[in-house]
Each structure stands twice: as C-alpha cells, then as structure tokens.
Amino acid sequence: MERLCGPELPFWVANQTLHTDRPDLPECFQLSVLSWLPCIYLWAVCPIYLFYLKRNNRGYIMMSIKNRFKTVFGLLLWIVCWTDLFYTFHELRQGHSQPPIYFITPLVLGITMLLATFLIQLERLRGVQSSGVLFIFWFLCVLCAIVPFRSKILQSEVTDKLRFTTFYFYFSLVVLELILCCFNEKPPLFSSVVTDPNPCPETTAGFLSSMTFWWFTSMAIKGYKMPLEVKDLWSLNQRDCSKKMVPKLLKEWEKEQAKAKRYVCKRGEGGESNLEEVEVLLSNQRSVPQQPSFLRALIKAFGPYFLIGSAFKLLQDIITFVNPQLLRMLISFTKQTGVPDWWGYTLAFLMFFTAFLQTLVLHRHFHYCFVTGMNVRTALIGAIYRKALVITNAAKRSSTVGEVVNLMSVDAQRFMDLTTFLNMLWSAPLQIMLALYFLWQNLGPSVLAGVAVMIMLIPFNAVIAMKTRAYQVEQMQYKDTRIKLMNEILNGIKVLKLYAWENSFKDKVLAIRQKELDVLRKSAYLGALSTMAWTSAPFLVALTTFAVYVTVDENNVLDAEKAFVSLSLFNILRFPLNMLPQVISSIVQTSISLKRIQGFLSHDELDPNSSPIQKLLNRNSLTVVNGKFTWAKEDPPVLHSINMMVPQGSLLAVVGHVGCGKSSLISALLGEMEKVEGDISGSVAYVPQQAWIQNATLRDNILFENPYNEQKYHSVLEACALTFDLEVLPGGDMTEIGEKGINLSGGQRQRVSLARALYSDADVYLLDDPLSAVDAHVSKHIFENLIGPEGLLKGKTRILVTHGISFLPQVDNIMVMVEGQVSEMGSYQELLKQNGAFAEFLRNYALEDIIEEEEATGRTLLPALMLFITSFEGKADSLKNPKSRSVRRHGCSQRKHSEPQEKKKPHEMEKLIQAETAETGRVKTKVYLEYVKAVGPLLSVVICFLYGCQSAAAIGSNIWLSQWTNDVSTNQTKENVPMRVGVYAALGIVQGVLLLVNCLLCRAYSMLRAAEFTHRNLLQGVLRAPQAFFESTPTGRLLNRFSKDLDAIDSHIPDNIDIWMRTFWYTLNVLLICSALTPMFLIVIAPLMVFYWWVQRFYVATSRQLKRLESVSRSPIYSHFSETITGCSVIRAYGRHTAFVLMSDMKVDENQKSYYPGIVSNRWLGVRIEFIGNCIVLFAALFAVAGKENLNPGLVGLSVSYALQVTMSLNWMVRMTSDLESNIVAVERVKEYSETKTEAPWEVEDKKPPPEWPIKGNVEFQNYSVRYREGLDLVLKNLTLNVRGGEKIGIVGRTGAGKSSMTLCLFRLLEAAAGEITIDEVRIAEIGLHDLRSKLTIIPQEPVLFSGTLRMNLDPFDKYTDEDVWKALEHSHLHRFVSNQTAKLELQCSEGGENLSVGQRQLVCLARALLRKTRILILDEATAAIDLETDDLIQSTIRTQFEDCTVFTIAHRLNTIMDYTRVLVLDKGQIAEFDTPANLLSQRGIFYSMAKDAGLTQ
C-alpha cells in the first residue's frame, strides 16, 4: 500500500482507530478499500447479470422522468469522478506530484459509474422494473462514503477545496441514486400485468418490497378486515401456470422416453433371431434399469430455478455462524475494563444487522423452494391427468381410480413437501461441520464427548423414525380400509336402511377404527420418546461437554464466554441434527412415490389408430374383418373372429344373452380394447350402458363443449323426450346435476346421454342398450323419433345393442352374439327363416303362452309369430329408475304454488347440492371448549401446568450455568465442580422426565380419547341421519369429514398443541429473564409485543382463510379427475380430450391461486416476526453494554444467548396458532355432522312388536299423505287402501306418479304427513325403525353390493347357516355361477360389485330377499338391466317361493303383473284405479291405455 499511497499517508493507524473514543479511518484506507469495494462488487456481478438480462426479456419500458433523472445523475457522477482525475493531472503540471492512488481511484470510480449508467438503460430496454443489483451497488456506495463524509466534517480546516467540493457532490448524487432506486418503474409495454384484472403485485414489486415481501401487505390487511373470498385472490403468475409448467415437464419426460427407447433398440439389435435368446434378452432387458428416468426429467425441468434457492441457503448457513462469534466478542467486551463504549454498541448493531440479513436470505431461499414445490405439484398433476386419459384398459386395471387419485393427491404432495427441505441434505452436514470447527476452537477436544452423545442419539432417533414410519404406513392402511368401507356405506346407505343393516356395518367400521387408534397410540409412545430425545439433546451434549472439559484438566475453567458461545453453537447444531434423519426418510418416501408416478406415466397408451374416430375417406360403411379383441394383452380374447359390415345409414341391432360380449363389441369399435388382429374403420358418438353424467348443468351435459344452436338443441330434447322432464326440474336445462347424475332418474340419465350423442352429430352411433332404462312409452317415442327408420338419425350408421324384441322387425340388420362370437347376422326375416339361435331366442320370449297350443302345427307358426310380435310393441322395456326421485320431484311440486314461475330467470334455480360452507372469521372459543371437553377439563389444566414446570426446569438449568461461570471471578472453581455438575445434571433430568410424562399424558392418552370420542359420535350421527340428508349432501363431503378432518383430530391437533405450549412457555421465560436482568427491557417489550400481536392477528386471519379457500378449491381437482376416469371412454369417443385437459388445468391453477398467497403469507410473517426477534437481540445486547458495570459476564451471556433463540420460538408460536386455528375447525366440522337431525329411533323398547309379527301380512293405508321435505308439496295424497295377506299387488303409473314413494313409506324412509299405515294391526309409525325394516324385504331397483365376500353381502349378521345360503342361491339361479368359482361363498366382490354383471348383481339381491323370507315383499322395478330370460327366472322364483306372502311390485313391463290379484294405478299421487287386471282392462281407463301402448290389448 505504501507504493500506492506514498509514505505520508499510512494505511492503518491503530491509535487513531480502535483505541480512542473518537475513532476515524486513515485517508489511504478511505481512498483504497472504501472506494473500491462497490466497484469490485459491480464488476463481479456484471457478467452474470448481463447473461440473465439477455435470457429474460420482458419487453421495454417507456422512458420516464425517473429514468431520465437516474441516467443524468449517473453521467454527473462520472463527470464528478473524472473532475478529480483531471485535477490530479492539473496538479502534476503545476509540479505537485500526488501519490498514484489519486489517479487510480477516480479512474476506477468513473468507469464504474459509466457501467452503472449503461445498466440503468439496459434494464429499461429489458423491462426490469426494479433492480436489485444496482440497489445493492448504490447502497454499498453510500455506506462506504459515510466514513469519509464524517471525517471531512471532523477536519478542523479545509486544505484541498476542490476535492472537498467534488466529494460532497459525489455523496449527494449517490444518496439520490439510492433513493430513486427504491422506487419502481412502470410495467413494460404489452405485459400481461396490463391486461389482467387482478394481477399479482409481485410482478411489479420493487427490490426492497420483494425482499421483505412488503407487496403482500395489501392482502394481509384485506384479509384482516373481512374474510377473503376467491375474487380477492390474485391471478397466478404466468410462470407458475399449468400452461407453462406441464409442457415443460412433459417435454423433458418425452426426451427421456425417447432416449430409453433408443437404448432398448440398440440392445435389441445385437440379439440373434433365435427365440430362446430373444427371451433371455427380454428378461435381461427388464433387469437393466434403462427405464426412462422420471427423476432426470424433473431435475432438468425444475433444477435451475431450485438452484437459485440453494445459493441463498449456502449464504444463510455461513451468516448463521457470525452471531456466536459476535456473542463471544460481546462477552469478552463486558469483562474488559477501560475499553471505549462504542465497541459494545457496534457489536450490538452488528448482531442485529447479521440477524436481519440472515432473515432476509433465509426467507428468499424458502420462497424459491416453495415455489419450486408448487410448480412440481402442478406439473405432476397435469402429467398424471393427461396420462390417465390415454392409458389402456389393462393399465387401468392395474391401478384403480382411488390409486390414481392418490398419485395426484398424496404423491404429488410428497414431492412438494420434499422440495422445501431438500437443501438440508447438503446444508445440514455443512452446518454440523462448521459448528464443530468453532466448538473445537472454543473448548478443544472435550467437544468430542458432546459429539459422541449426539452421534449416539442419531441411531436412536433413526430407529424411532423408522418405527414411526412403519406405524404410519400401517395406520394409513387401516385408514384407507376404513374410508373405503365408509365410501361404500355412503353409496349404499339406502340399501343399508332398507335392510336395517346399519349396526353390522357400524361395528365393522369401529373395529377398523380401533386398530387404527392402537397404532396411533403406539406411535404416540414413540413420539414422546423422540420428543424427549430431541429436546434434551442439546442439554445432554452441553452437560457431557462441560463436565468433561472441567474434569479433564484442572486448568480448564468454564467461564461465561466459553459456556454461552458453546451453548449457542449447540443450539445451531440442534436443527440440522434433527432435520437430517427427517429429510432422509422423506427422500425414501418420495422415491417410492417417484417409482409409482414413473410406473404410471410409463403405462401403455391406447393406440390412437385402433379406433375409428378418424374420419376416413371410405365413409360408406363400418367394417370389421377377422376381429379378435381382448381387454389386456395377456388375457384370453373376449371377442374372436368378428366379421361385420354395417352399410352407411343402416341400423344394426345386436342381441344376445347377458354376458355374451355385446358391450365389449361396442368398446372394441371405440378402440378401447386391445386389437389382437383384424381392422376397423369409420367417426362416432357413443351412448354407454350406464350413462356417464358430469357434475355440470343439464345443458352442458348435452352440449358437451359443442357450440349451442337453439333450434338443433330443441329438436334433440324433443326427440329424446326430455322436454317434459325439463318442466319438472327446478331450473329447467340450467339445473345443476349432482355427481354421477344423482338427481336424475336412471331413465333421465340415459336420455341425457342419448341427447349428447345426437347433438354431437357424428357419422356412426354406437348405442349400448339405451332403451333398457326408460318406460315403455318413452322407449317407443325415442325409437320412433330418434333411432328408428323414421327417426332423426336416419341416414346415419347406427349400432344398437338391445334386449327389446319389439323393435327388431324395424331394424335393417340383426346380429346375434353368443359367447364372444357372431353366431348369425341378417335381416329379421332371414334370421327367422334360418331357424337358428335367433329364432330360438325369440321363441323363448314372445311365445311362452302360445307354444303349448301350437306345438302340433309346427312351421305354420311364423306368420302368426309376426303378428304377435308386432303387437308386442314395447312390452320388453322397463325402467331402471331414479336413485332419488325425491329430488327430481320437488320441481314438479313447486310449480303449483308459484304460477308466475315462467318469469323467473333460469339462474335463480334452487341448487340441489348445498354449497359446502367454508367457515369464515375467527374460530369460536366454543370450539376449543368442545375439544377441551373431549380431552377432559381437569386433564387439560394438569397438562398446561406440567408444560410450565418443564419450561421452568429448562430455564433453571441455564441460570445455574450462569452462576457456575461466575465462579471464575471469585476463584472458587475447583472445590465447586462436583456440586455444579451434579445440580446441572439433575435439573436437566427433571426437565426430560417432565417432558416425557407430559407427552404421554397429552398424546397417548387424552388426545386419543378425544379422537375416539369424536369419530364415534360422527359415525353414529351420519348413520342415524334420515335419507333426505344423503340426497342433499355429496358423498365426497362426508368422506372428507371421515378422512381429512378426523386425520386432523388424530394427529395434527395434538402436534400443534404440543409445540404451541412449548414455544409459549419458552418465549414467556425468555422475556422474563431479559426483564429480570435489565429492567429497562420492559420498556421495549411493550411496543414489541403490541407489534407482534398485531402482525399475528393480520397473519392468522388471512392465512386461515387462505387455507380454507385452498382446501375448498382442492377437492374439485380430484372429483373432476375421478369423474374423468370413469367417463374416459365417452370423452375419447367424442374426441373431447383437450377440452378436459384444459378444464383440469384450470382447476389446478384455481387451487394454486389460493396456495401461492398462503406460501407468501408465511414468508411475510417470517420476515416481520424475525425482525421483532432481532430487535429483542439488539436491545438485550444494548442494555447489556449500557449496564456492563453492574452485570457479570455470565448474565450477559445468558440474556443475549436466550434472545438469539427467541426468534425461532416467536415464529413457531404464530405458525402454530394459525395451524391450530385451521385444524381445530375440523372439530367444528365433525361436530356439525355428529349433530344432524336424526331419523326415528331404531328400536322403541315399550312398543316392540311380537317376534313373529307380521303373521298374515295385511297392509292398510288410511288417508295416507307424504311429502319429501318440509315445504314441498305432497307426493302422495290421501291414499286409502286395504291389502289382505298373500295378495299380489302390481303398482303402475306414469313417471312421477309416486310409485317408488309408496314403497319408501312402508319402510318409513319417508315419514307420514298425515294418516297412517298399519301392518297386521300394528301402526308402523310407533315401532322402532329396525323392528319394522327387518320384517319387510325389498328388491331395490339398483342392485347394491358391498366389497367383501359374497356371503357377507347376503347375510352380514351371520344369522343363517351355509345350507340356507346355498338354497337361496339355488332358487335365485346363481348356484351354478357360484359353485364354479374357486372361492365359492367366500368369493370376493369388488367395490360396488363391479366384478359381477348387472344382471348377476340383481340376482344376488333376489337371493338376499329369499334368505330373509319375510311376509311382505316389495319389488321395485327390479328387472331393468336383465335380459328377458333372467327376468323370467326371477318372476317364476317369486311366484313359487313367495306364494303365501304379500307382494307389491312396481312394474313397467305390464306383462309381469297381468296375473296379479289386483293392480293399483297411481296418478299424480292419488289412487286412480284399483281392481283386478281383467276388470281394469274392461274399464278402458289409464291401465287400458298403458296396456295398449305396450301392445297387450288391441
């Protein structure tokens, strides 16, 4: 430096700087180091920054006044600096030679200012609104200029006037630049910010604002004033949208897949054609892990952004270790006497400054990590959704809907959680190494003792973590089983009620729940141990280290400096040591998820060419040549040697028995099946057998993303006979339809599905039995107006799968299928002439009665047959009727009392599904009290008290430590050692024991009791709710209560309470200690606490509402997804793939829209709360410096090291308050459903009917009326009728006449509005529901099976012997099917009985009825999905087996009830006719006209 500054200007003078009360820096130091620092920074950052600007161009910004000023000031600065330079040259010419520094510094500064000015303009052109790089540069300039500024003022006389003036110019310009840099430029032209109605302020936020997250404040204030709603949320940043994220990931994934394919090809080319070798090669190939690596795709897509976060983390790790060093200097400062005070104050402010910097850096890092996590989740969900639309059926079978939804929810979430802590993987070891290095410096080799304890704790913690993980998996399994069972219970709740089976299922659920709780209890024990280990770890480490340090060598003295610096280092160690095992186990979990997602994304996709969707040129026909199709490559083919040609515009009917492959043929034509050989060609519209309805308005369901054309739309409605239904529905065609079309009857669903097909206007129509679910006259209408030769579809190619014989004469061709093959094909006449399978099929049905008489006449039958069959119009059709008539009917009833309804606008319709209420505002104290009540009030108080004691013990041990370190000053170190160590250890052990006791009491006992109690109440409440409750509450919402909310009560709330209590007591103690040591501290605490309380209220209000919005917007993603999976064949058939992908993306973005502010709110809070913590550190240090005369070093160390810790606990406390508030809502939500209005009691003790009741089976209605819900019209009005035991009654009537309602009344699913029903002299309204329902039997319209064994489905209470069960199966014609199964009665039925055909499920329901064999049987249109053969079996069984019982049949196939004792005709809820069938026909009333429609009379 001498060369640069010359001999007169020394670089460093100790007396002038450190050891004086008025310190100043020498001029040489000022000119070199202070001037060059900012320049070095700017030149170092410049290349990276220029590269960044080149990559990110946001469009240019118009030149503003601010920008002009910045540029002008920059140029002025350059002029000022070079004025100095030229002045030096001028002096040189005058003969005053100055040292070289006077040339170098102005030159460097001037060039740097030019660079800065260049950057200002470049940023403007690149659309940077606020520059962090330049802000830091100007900040450094000002900081470095303050020292010369001060020394220039302190100068007694001015020698060098020009330099003096230029410096002041320089200083003021730099300050102005800094001030200007704090403000933002306008957004660039053409940016999205301008067009967006509610843009996220982050994009336009300045550097300071985004470092401190100040831009979020507006939302925090809004959320505090009133609960946030969806419209208050900012739009998602462009870079986080699905539109950007998903393609980014998929692009990388496709590259990976291509790479893997190339690799496989290379391997394959080497092999010879010898078959065995190829086999070997193939098997090797599987073992070679050259699958496409999904991990690599993820890293390529999201790595770079994530690395920025990692850089911040590295910086933060280094800053962390500055404070313990400063603490050491502070403590040594308080020991010294006669040193200048400004040292202490500088140290205090430095501590504050490093802590503050650390806060900013840490939260930047978190922000990057969380955003990466969020992006990964968006991309994963998008990728999985896109894949789910195109996977083959074989692949679909290997992963159920539930599993795939899990991939989206659980596994994607795991990735998101992991990314936030992934950096700990390298950061934790780094922190540990640094901490150990500083500790070694401090205490020497004794540290190893402490480290040994830590290392011993690691396996202990790891074992506990492993066990806990295992328990968690086990608990998840129980939970899944429980939820699956609950799902079935809720889906089949009507059946459970009708059969009075609730108790059996309730016990099953409770048994699973008990196992779940046992596992939870075990993991709570482990949790208590690990909490104890984790909390006592730093203490144990400190104890062993200090004890070893003191006893190893007599000269080792434990003074305050060593003790408290070591303590603060140990505290730093705590976090990485605890996090490391967690991160590792989390990585293990995520790697499992990774495998699952990779497996799913690698599934085979449907070959887009195997389906005839592409419009081919030869549009004349649809042909299949030699088709052989299978559901999965490895399965045997289901359809073989299929040859068919459907000429354009013809109508082909496909007939055959149940399970002969009719629906499979349709799937094959759609390209849903694996094509083994053969080919197909021709564009399609598809109507599946079980209609797929979206949760949208009726109109949207029909349009299915096609543009609306009024005329076409109305003709479609007319043809599908939907116009009448629209009048009945509450909102017309704008009625919202519940999930799975719950508020439409089966017939309506089927007709909507037909309307959708008709509207889509395709070339080929594949109709899979659309007529089975509608009434006879409706099916006739649809056939005539839509499908038949005169219908709207004439001229289109139509393939109709049907069971109805009546339409066959009118079709062009008939194809008969037997066991997966085409047995015959031809027109109606041809097939009759062939006298093959088809003639046989017809003969069985149409001619039962005639055949005996005419057997003799032999072949003369045919003409007669023709006549007969045409007269049979519509006999064979039936109705698979409404799941919930109740709901569809209330529109009908309202119309009567609101005549001017036509004027109402359609959107004022009544919503069927009540919107889920997201609670708003603060959680009421009542809810906390509820929870306390469930835990037990006395216990709660004891638990709080124990937390206090444990915290006191912890503090006590540290106070003791500070006393111990003060032994140094009184020289009593040696004699006191054993006593000091002993007491210190005792206090620590007391703390650990209290903690353990507390955890066990709290987690393993009381909180689990609360969990058990709430679940039992919830289950009881839901099972006792009346049927109407289930119709207005979607299953998903109830399941949510049983899964998510209960999960919160099981595990989240106890965790939250535990951490909250610990941090609360800890913070309280810190503040007490600081105040006790320096009473001045109390003055500062008050404003800090007010600020703290204030930030906390703002945060909690906003974050709680954001969490609620997030969870409300989350379920639509999954429900849309499962809806898509169930309907993916329809979506593909109509080619609506992209529209659905867009819908899903929109839903994900909606969800992230509320998630993103949630992340930011945590950062916002963190920065503010930690600022308070840093202030506490600052004041603790300042007061320690101020009162250094009367404080000993031990106490200073104690108070400052505690203050350093307090930030963490303040932060946790707010977090936990907020978490607790969001989770405690679960208690409220569960409580809401535990207190639903219940139906009548299940058993009434004093009114129990005799066990053998009813003996005769007489049923009597007296003036009976009923309505569905309060405030709706009557559905049945004043029915009075008397049925004698053993009568067979048929109930008929048009749709909506009240037929089903009548049967529901017998079971009291609907309670009477007036009048009463008596069965064998017992009023049914007075006895318990179970007593009543267990004595009646119903065969419901929709066969519901539960997953479990077949035996359980027939007899859940195990009342009957196996013999009885087999007998029932024999009578219900299932004997052959069941005895062919290997498992026999233990045959596992899948969810909803999916592995049995619809017909077989119906027969199982019949078997149930046969088993119960009560005196009264009700048949509710039980014959919808069955071919005529099975139908006859059922009818004959009922005739023989239930001969002496009273039977009520709701019939749509009138021929089934023609031989009944009497027929009841209902019309608009009243009895229209009631007599024997013969009399009714002769009366020529309603019944006659219905019979005529069905072609039973002339």
Side-chain angles (χ1 to χ4, degrees), residues 1260-1264 1275-1283 1289-1293 1297-1298 1302 1462-1475 1480 1486:
E1260 193 176 345
F1261 284 75
Q1262 280 166 344
N1263 288 329
Y1264 189 82
V1275 198
L1276 295 178
K1277 306 180 197 104
N1278 303 335
L1279 291 196
T1280 305
L1281 67 138
N1282 196 347
V1283 177
I1289 304 288
I1291 305 176
V1292 295
M1302 195 166 153
R1462 287 194 282 175
V1463 172
L1464 170 68
V1465 183
L1466 285 176
D1467 189 34
K1468 295 186 185 143
Q1470 290 164 318
I1471 299 182
E1473 305 169 0
F1474 186 33
D1475 209 338
L1480 289 180
I1486 299 181

Side-chain angles (χ1 to χ4, degrees), residues 283-300:
S283 59
N284 287 351
Q285 214 168 294
R286 280 199 195 102
S287 59
V288 173
Q290 191 48 35
Q291 285 169 312
S293 151
F294 187 58
L295 182 64
R296 207 172 305 140
L298 274 174
I299 291 173
K300 280 185 185 161

Side-chain angles (χ1 to χ4, degrees), residues 87 240 327 348 688 869 986 1022 1121 1172 1287 1365 1468 1484:
Y87 181 58
D240 299 327
L327 176 67
I869 287 178
V1022 168
F1121 182 62
I1172 295 176
E1287 275 196 296
V1365 177
K1468 295 186 185 143
R1484 304 229 154 190

Side-chain angles (χ1 to χ4, degrees), residues 1110-1126:
E1110 198 265 339
S1111 61
V1112 168
S1113 66
R1114 176 178 281 178
S1115 34
I1117 300 179
Y1118 307 140
S1119 55
H1120 171 82
F1121 182 62
S1122 45
E1123 194 174 71
T1124 307
I1125 292 189
T1126 40

